[in-house]
Amino acid sequence: MSPKRLNTVLATAVVLFTLYLGSSFVLPLGTSFPGLPDWPSDDSGFPVVKGSREIAMGLSMGVLLVTGHRRALGWVLLMTAVAPFGDMVNVLAHHGSTVAALGVHGLTSALIAVTGLLILRETGKAREAGKTREAREAREAREAREATAPAPAARPA
């Protein structure tokens, strides 16, 4: 499997999981927040806020993935990794389960960040290759113009 295909599969998984997670908080599916000992009640608005955040992140990543803006997708993935990291800090700060904080939120954050870095690495190599190709084409065009240009006329003394 090519690196680009692997990165696309990872990014697609992140997008789909983020959308699923967001939907599970907004829709009445009985989802809980992994790690928090005192889950806020449904009438607190916390699940809808969290779900809306997840859906917005999933949609923004999904649009970039579908439209082929891979470099921007890499940056957005890196920025999105901050959300599960914040969830991890939230769980730890409120004396929640350390295993859930690190095992669920920490690993999720790391997976999203690694996916973003892989896509940035992939697009960085492609950009460099494109610059090299553009420079070569420009040099060849310049040489072709010089080869077909008439010789300068001799000036009388």
Side-chain angles (χ1 to χ4, degrees):
M1 182 180 294
S2 71
K4 183 175 181 177
R5 185 174 301 247
L6 176 65
N7 296 343
T8 301
V9 167
L10 288 172
T12 302
V14 169
V15 168
L16 292 175
F17 180 73
T18 304
L19 290 172
Y20 167 76
L21 186 64
S23 299
S24 68
F25 281 105
V26 173
L27 302 174
L29 301 177
T31 302
S32 65
F33 189 77
L36 278 184
D38 298 319
W39 172 249
S41 65
D42 286 341
D43 61 349
S44 70
F46 181 76
V48 173
V49 170
K50 180 163 175 46
S52 298
R53 175 191 79 171
E54 300 290 334
I55 291 170
M57 290 185 310
L59 289 174
S60 62
M61 291 182 294
V63 166
L64 293 172
L65 180 64
V66 169
T67 59
H69 292 89
R70 295 184 69 81
R71 188 139 185 95
L73 174 62
W75 283 111
V76 169
L77 281 162
L78 276 180
M79 299 308 105
T80 299
V82 173
F85 182 81
D87 292 341
M88 177 185 74
V89 171
N90 185 25
V91 170
L92 292 173
H94 290 89
H95 310 293
S97 167
T98 303
V99 172
L102 299 174
V104 175
H105 304 294
L107 286 176
T108 300
S109 179
L111 173 68
I112 294 171
V114 166
T115 302
L117 289 172
L118 287 171
I119 289 178
L120 286 174
R121 181 175 178 220
E122 163 206 321
T123 58
K125 287 181 180 179
R127 283 178 96 180
E128 288 304 314
K131 288 179 184 177
T132 304
R133 186 184 72 241
E134 289 170 1
R136 185 181 68 248
E137 290 171 354
R139 184 181 67 245
E140 289 171 355
R142 185 177 60 250
E143 289 171 355
R145 278 193 309 270
E146 290 171 357
T148 58
R155 290 208 250 169

